[in-house]
Amino acid sequence: MNTKVENICAIWELDESTVRTLRSLLYGSGPDNELLANFHPHITLANYLNIEREPLMKYTHDYAAHTEAFRADFASVGLLSPQHLVCFPRMKGGLYENFVRYHECFDAQADQWTSLHGGLYRPHVSLYSEGQGVTQQAITRIQQNFSPFTGHVVALSLSLVKPDGFSILATYPLLRAI
């Protein structure tokens, strides 16, 4: 039997208040922001290369059904790479605990950046992107608009990675305990 495999990301979805706060940072970045039109603020939990969709969907659905919504402390803004300005939450509390627990299954299929055992995971929300590199002016504008804040993670989604972007396959709400 030939099973189809796909590139799929597991992503933490944020509540509306957190999205509004992150969106307000973008308006200080200037009109040339490549992410503004398709801004979908989220924190990537896992990036799977060549994974079967159905077992991952069942696992993620069951995981979300037994996981409480949690706080995320957004501590700083900085460069993830020369082309990507991001907002970094602290890797503590629910963000850390759920990263470890979610990766109890399928971790071997996660890429080096999101694998539990890869050691390279750095949670972030992408804010701004420039193909030739983020200018110092854009960094300064966003950093001036930023103050540390607490946001909320309220759902877990699976996103199909496509050459021209992504599409959400399913969103699973977390239990409301905040």
Coordinates of all heavy atoms in Angstrom, one line a residue, residues 38-90:
N38 N -0.7 38.6 4.8 CA -1.0 37.3 5.2 C -0.7 36.9 6.6 O -0.3 35.8 6.9 CB -0.3 36.3 4.3 CG -0.7 36.4 2.8 OD1 -1.9 36.7 2.5 ND2 0.2 36.3 1.9
F39 N -0.7 37.9 7.5 CA -0.3 37.8 8.9 C -1.2 36.8 9.6 O -2.4 37.0 9.8 CB -0.2 39.1 9.5 CG 0.4 39.1 10.9 CD1 1.6 38.6 11.1 CD2 -0.3 39.6 12.0 CE1 2.2 38.6 12.4 CE2 0.2 39.6 13.3 CZ 1.5 39.2 13.5
H40 N -0.6 35.7 10.0 CA -1.3 34.7 10.8 C -0.4 34.4 12.0 O 0.4 33.4 12.0 CB -1.6 33.4 10.0 CG -2.3 32.4 10.7 ND1 -3.7 32.3 10.8 CD2 -1.9 31.3 11.5 CE1 -4.1 31.3 11.5 NE2 -3.0 30.7 12.0
P41 N -0.5 35.2 13.0 CA 0.5 35.0 14.2 C 0.2 33.7 14.9 O -0.9 33.3 15.2 CB 0.2 36.2 15.1 CG -1.2 36.6 14.7 CD -1.4 36.3 13.3
H42 N 1.3 32.9 15.0 CA 1.2 31.6 15.7 C 2.6 31.3 16.2 O 3.6 31.9 15.8 CB 0.8 30.6 14.7 CG 1.7 30.4 13.6 ND1 1.7 31.1 12.4 CD2 2.7 29.5 13.4 CE1 2.6 30.8 11.6 NE2 3.3 29.7 12.2
I43 N 2.7 30.2 17.0 CA 4.0 29.7 17.4 C 4.1 28.3 16.9 O 3.3 27.4 17.2 CB 4.1 29.7 19.0 CG1 3.9 31.1 19.5 CG2 5.5 29.1 19.4 CD1 3.8 31.2 21.0
T44 N 5.1 28.0 16.1 CA 5.3 26.7 15.5 C 5.7 25.8 16.6 O 6.6 26.0 17.4 CB 6.3 26.7 14.4 OG1 5.8 27.6 13.3 CG2 6.5 25.3 13.8
L45 N 5.0 24.6 16.7 CA 5.3 23.6 17.7 C 6.1 22.5 17.1 O 7.1 22.0 17.8 CB 4.0 23.1 18.3 CG 4.1 21.9 19.3 CD1 4.9 22.2 20.5 CD2 2.7 21.5 19.7
A46 N 5.8 22.1 15.9 CA 6.6 21.1 15.2 C 6.4 21.2 13.7 O 5.4 21.7 13.2 CB 6.0 19.7 15.6
N47 N 7.5 20.9 13.0 CA 7.5 21.0 11.6 C 7.9 19.6 11.1 O 9.0 19.1 11.3 CB 8.5 22.0 11.0 CG 8.4 22.1 9.5 OD1 7.3 22.1 8.9 ND2 9.5 22.3 8.9
Y48 N 6.9 18.9 10.5 CA 7.1 17.5 10.1 C 7.3 17.4 8.6 O 6.5 18.0 7.8 CB 5.9 16.7 10.4 CG 5.6 16.6 11.9 CD1 4.6 17.2 12.5 CD2 6.5 15.8 12.7 CE1 4.3 17.2 13.8 CE2 6.2 15.7 14.1 CZ 5.2 16.4 14.6 OH 4.9 16.3 16.0
L49 N 8.4 16.8 8.2 CA 8.7 16.6 6.8 C 8.3 15.1 6.4 O 8.7 14.2 7.1 CB 10.1 16.8 6.5 CG 10.7 18.2 7.0 CD1 12.2 18.3 6.8 CD2 9.9 19.3 6.2
N50 N 7.4 15.0 5.4 CA 7.1 13.6 4.9 C 6.4 12.8 6.0 O 6.9 11.8 6.4 CB 8.3 12.9 4.4 CG 8.9 13.7 3.2 OD1 8.2 14.2 2.4 ND2 10.2 13.8 3.2
I51 N 5.2 13.3 6.5 CA 4.5 12.5 7.5 C 3.1 12.2 7.0 O 2.6 12.9 6.1 CB 4.4 13.4 8.8 CG1 3.9 12.5 10.0 CG2 3.6 14.6 8.6 CD1 4.1 13.1 11.3
E52 N 2.5 11.1 7.5 CA 1.2 10.8 7.1 C 0.2 11.7 7.8 O 0.3 11.9 9.0 CB 0.9 9.3 7.4 CG 1.7 8.3 6.6 CD 1.3 6.9 7.0 OE1 0.1 6.6 7.2 OE2 2.3 6.1 7.1
R53 N -0.8 12.2 7.1 CA -1.7 13.2 7.7 C -2.6 12.6 8.7 O -2.8 13.2 9.8 CB -2.6 13.8 6.5 CG -3.5 14.8 7.0 CD -4.5 15.3 6.0 NE -3.9 15.9 4.9 CZ -4.5 16.7 4.0 NH1 -5.8 16.8 4.1 NH2 -3.9 17.2 2.9
E54 N -3.3 11.5 8.4 CA -4.4 11.0 9.3 C -3.9 10.6 10.7 O -4.5 11.0 11.7 CB -5.1 9.8 8.7 CG -6.0 10.2 7.5 CD -6.9 11.4 7.8 OE1 -7.6 11.4 8.8 OE2 -7.0 12.3 6.9
P55 N -2.8 9.9 10.9 CA -2.3 9.6 12.3 C -2.0 10.9 13.1 O -2.2 11.0 14.2 CB -1.1 8.7 12.1 CG -1.2 8.1 10.7 CD -2.0 9.1 9.9
L56 N -1.4 11.8 12.4 CA -1.0 13.1 13.0 C -2.2 13.9 13.4 O -2.3 14.5 14.5 CB -0.1 13.9 12.1 CG 0.4 15.2 12.7 CD1 1.2 15.0 14.0 CD2 1.2 16.0 11.7
M57 N -3.3 13.9 12.6 CA -4.5 14.6 12.9 C -5.2 14.0 14.1 O -5.6 14.7 15.0 CB -5.4 14.6 11.7 CG -4.9 15.6 10.6 SD -6.1 15.7 9.2 CE -7.3 16.8 9.9
K58 N -5.2 12.7 14.2 CA -5.9 12.0 15.3 C -5.1 12.3 16.6 O -5.7 12.6 17.6 CB -6.0 10.5 15.1 CG -6.6 9.8 16.3 CD -6.7 8.3 16.1 CE -7.4 7.6 17.2 NZ -7.6 8.2 18.5
Y59 N -3.8 12.2 16.5 CA -3.0 12.5 17.7 C -3.2 13.9 18.2 O -3.3 14.2 19.4 CB -1.5 12.2 17.4 CG -0.5 12.6 18.5 CD1 -0.5 11.9 19.7 CD2 0.3 13.8 18.4 CE1 0.4 12.3 20.7 CE2 1.1 14.2 19.4 CZ 1.1 13.4 20.6 OH 2.0 13.8 21.6
T60 N -3.1 14.9 17.3 CA -3.3 16.3 17.6 C -4.6 16.6 18.2 O -4.8 17.3 19.1 CB -2.9 17.2 16.4 OG1 -1.6 16.8 15.9 CG2 -3.0 18.6 16.7
H61 N -5.7 16.0 17.6 CA -7.0 16.2 18.1 C -7.1 15.7 19.5 O -7.6 16.4 20.4 CB -8.0 15.4 17.2 CG -9.4 15.4 17.8 ND1 -9.8 14.4 18.6 CD2 -10.4 16.2 17.6 CE1 -11.1 14.6 18.9 NE2 -11.5 15.7 18.3
D62 N -6.6 14.5 19.8 CA -6.7 13.9 21.1 C -5.8 14.7 22.1 O -6.2 14.9 23.3 CB -6.2 12.4 21.1 CG -7.2 11.5 20.4 OD1 -8.3 11.9 20.0 OD2 -6.7 10.4 20.0
Y63 N -4.7 15.2 21.6 CA -3.8 16.0 22.5 C -4.5 17.3 22.9 O -4.5 17.6 24.1 CB -2.5 16.3 21.7 CG -1.5 17.0 22.6 CD1 -0.5 16.4 23.3 CD2 -1.5 18.4 22.7 CE1 0.3 17.1 24.1 CE2 -0.6 19.1 23.5 CZ 0.3 18.4 24.2 OH 1.2 19.1 25.0
A64 N -5.1 18.0 22.0 CA -5.7 19.2 22.3 C -6.9 19.0 23.2 O -7.1 19.8 24.1 CB -6.2 19.9 21.0
A65 N -7.6 17.9 23.1 CA -8.8 17.6 23.9 C -8.4 17.4 25.4 O -9.3 17.5 26.3 CB -9.5 16.4 23.4
H66 N -7.1 17.2 25.7 CA -6.7 16.9 27.0 C -5.7 18.0 27.5 O -4.9 17.8 28.4 CB -6.1 15.5 27.1 CG -7.1 14.5 26.9 ND1 -7.3 13.9 25.7 CD2 -8.0 13.9 27.8 CE1 -8.3 13.0 25.8 NE2 -8.7 13.0 27.0
T67 N -5.6 19.1 26.8 CA -4.6 20.2 27.1 C -5.3 21.5 27.4 O -6.2 21.9 26.6 CB -3.6 20.3 25.9 OG1 -3.0 19.1 25.7 CG2 -2.6 21.4 26.2
E68 N -4.9 22.1 28.5 CA -5.5 23.4 28.9 C -4.8 24.5 28.2 O -3.6 24.5 27.9 CB -5.4 23.6 30.4 CG -6.2 22.7 31.2 CD -6.1 23.0 32.7 OE1 -5.4 23.9 33.1 OE2 -6.8 22.3 33.5
A69 N -5.6 25.5 27.9 CA -5.1 26.8 27.3 C -4.1 27.3 28.3 O -4.2 27.0 29.5 CB -6.2 27.8 27.1
F70 N -3.1 28.0 27.8 CA -2.0 28.5 28.7 C -1.5 29.9 28.3 O -1.8 30.3 27.2 CB -0.9 27.5 28.8 CG -0.2 27.2 27.5 CD1 0.9 27.9 27.0 CD2 -0.7 26.1 26.7 CE1 1.5 27.6 25.8 CE2 -0.1 25.8 25.5 CZ 1.0 26.6 25.0
R71 N -0.8 30.5 29.2 CA -0.2 31.8 29.0 C 1.2 31.6 28.3 O 1.9 30.7 28.5 CB 0.0 32.5 30.3 CG -1.3 33.0 31.0 CD -1.0 33.7 32.3 NE -2.3 34.3 32.8 CZ -3.2 33.6 33.5 NH1 -3.1 32.3 33.7 NH2 -4.3 34.2 33.9
A72 N 1.5 32.7 27.6 CA 2.8 32.7 26.9 C 3.3 34.2 27.2 O 2.7 35.1 26.9 CB 2.8 32.5 25.4
D73 N 4.5 34.2 27.8 CA 5.1 35.5 28.1 C 6.0 36.0 26.9 O 7.1 35.4 26.7 CB 6.0 35.4 29.4 CG 5.1 35.2 30.6 OD1 4.0 35.7 30.6 OD2 5.6 34.5 31.5
F74 N 5.6 37.0 26.2 CA 6.3 37.5 25.1 C 7.3 38.5 25.6 O 7.0 39.6 26.1 CB 5.4 38.1 24.0 CG 4.5 37.1 23.4 CD1 3.3 36.7 23.9 CD2 5.0 36.4 22.2 CE1 2.5 35.7 23.3 CE2 4.2 35.4 21.6 CZ 3.0 35.1 22.2
A75 N 8.6 38.1 25.5 CA 9.7 38.9 26.2 C 10.5 39.8 25.4 O 11.0 40.8 25.9 CB 10.6 37.8 26.9
S76 N 10.6 39.5 24.1 CA 11.5 40.4 23.3 C 11.2 40.3 21.8 O 10.5 39.4 21.4 CB 13.0 40.0 23.6 OG 13.2 38.7 23.1
V77 N 11.8 41.2 21.1 CA 11.7 41.2 19.6 C 13.2 41.2 19.1 O 14.1 41.8 19.7 CB 11.0 42.5 19.1 CG1 11.1 42.6 17.6 CG2 9.6 42.6 19.6
G78 N 13.4 40.4 18.1 CA 14.8 40.3 17.6 C 14.8 39.5 16.3 O 13.7 39.1 15.8
L79 N 16.0 39.3 15.8 CA 16.1 38.6 14.5 C 16.3 37.1 14.7 O 17.1 36.7 15.5 CB 17.4 39.1 13.8 CG 17.3 40.6 13.3 CD1 18.7 41.0 12.7 CD2 16.2 40.7 12.2
L80 N 15.5 36.3 14.0 CA 15.7 34.9 13.9 C 16.7 34.5 12.9 O 17.5 33.6 13.0 CB 14.3 34.2 13.6 CG 14.4 32.7 13.7 CD1 14.7 32.2 15.1 CD2 13.0 32.1 13.2
S81 N 16.7 35.3 11.8 CA 17.7 35.2 10.8 C 17.8 36.7 10.2 O 17.0 37.5 10.6 CB 17.3 34.3 9.6 OG 16.2 34.9 8.9
P82 N 18.8 36.9 9.4 CA 18.9 38.3 8.9 C 17.6 38.8 8.1 O 17.4 40.0 8.1 CB 20.1 38.3 7.9 CG 20.9 37.1 8.4 CD 19.9 36.1 9.0
Q83 N 16.8 37.9 7.6 CA 15.6 38.2 6.9 C 14.3 38.2 7.7 O 13.3 38.7 7.2 CB 15.4 37.2 5.7 CG 16.4 37.3 4.6 CD 17.7 36.5 5.0 OE1 17.6 35.6 5.8 NE2 18.8 36.8 4.3
H84 N 14.4 37.8 9.0 CA 13.1 37.6 9.7 C 13.2 38.2 11.1 O 14.0 37.7 12.0 CB 12.8 36.1 9.9 CG 12.5 35.5 8.5 ND1 11.4 35.7 7.8 CD2 13.3 34.6 7.8 CE1 11.5 35.0 6.7 NE2 12.6 34.3 6.7
L85 N 12.4 39.2 11.3 CA 12.2 39.8 12.7 C 11.0 39.1 13.4 O 10.0 39.0 12.8 CB 11.9 41.3 12.5 CG 11.9 42.1 13.8 CD1 13.2 42.1 14.5 CD2 11.5 43.6 13.5
V86 N 11.3 38.7 14.6 CA 10.3 37.9 15.3 C 10.1 38.4 16.7 O 10.9 39.1 17.3 CB 10.6 36.4 15.3 CG1 10.8 35.9 13.9 CG2 11.9 36.2 16.1
C87 N 9.0 37.9 17.3 CA 8.7 38.1 18.7 C 9.0 36.8 19.5 O 8.4 35.8 19.1 CB 7.3 38.6 18.9 SG 6.9 39.1 20.6
F88 N 9.8 36.9 20.5 CA 10.2 35.6 21.2 C 9.4 35.5 22.5 O 9.5 36.4 23.4 CB 11.7 35.7 21.6 CG 12.6 35.5 20.4 CD1 13.3 36.6 20.0 CD2 12.7 34.3 19.7 CE1 14.2 36.5 18.9 CE2 13.6 34.2 18.6 CZ 14.3 35.3 18.2
P89 N 8.7 34.4 22.7 CA 8.1 34.2 24.0 C 9.1 33.4 24.9 O 10.0 32.8 24.3 CB 6.9 33.3 23.7 CG 7.3 32.6 22.5 CD 8.2 33.5 21.7
R90 N 9.0 33.5 26.2 CA 9.9 32.7 27.0 C 9.5 31.3 26.9 O 8.4 30.9 26.9 CB 9.8 33.2 28.5 CG 10.4 34.5 28.7 CD 10.4 34.8 30.2 NE 11.1 36.1 30.5 CZ 10.5 37.3 30.6 NH1 9.2 37.3 30.5 NH2 11.2 38.3 30.8

